[in-house]
Amino acid sequence: MCQSATPTEPAAASSARTFDTTEEFLNAIRPGMELCTSDFTGWASVERVNHAVDGRQSSVRGRRREDDQIVDVPADVLIDLRGGHCVRVDRVRATIDAQGWEVPVADIS
């Protein structure tokens, strides 16, 4: 799951972990976890969680596998946590790179 270009849903759907609040979900996410598409394709590696501050919404910063581009995925598009390591994003593989989540080099810190 979340490790190849061939989307496959895990056999045990019970591995899905959901949360009562976005904050609880974000607190469960750790660097090294995978950002996966809704169709279970690995897409990026989690680098950190950005909590909401100064009017900016919460997001998860990751690094895309295919080109090492840094992306900030808004917390409101996260679906669930699968298998303890796969943070699913509410986008399919065919559309995920067109979301405009890339972080300009000047904004990377």
Side-chain angles (χ1 to χ4, degrees), residues 30-81:
R30 301 281 178 260
M33 290 181 165
E34 292 292 318
L35 285 165
C36 306
T37 60
S38 60
D39 56 1
F40 300 97
T41 302
W43 174 64
S45 179
V46 172
E47 292 196 340
R48 73 176 190 226
V49 173
N50 299 315
H51 294 274
V53 289
D54 298 329
R56 293 190 324 187
Q57 72 178 45
S58 298
S59 65
V60 174
R61 179 161 286 187
R63 185 176 297 271
R64 277 195 315 222
R65 286 182 172 174
E66 67 185 42
D67 61 4
D68 283 337
Q69 172 67 47
I70 300 294
V71 293
D72 276 336
V73 179
D76 63 356
V77 301
L78 302 177
I79 301 173
D80 58 23
L81 182 60

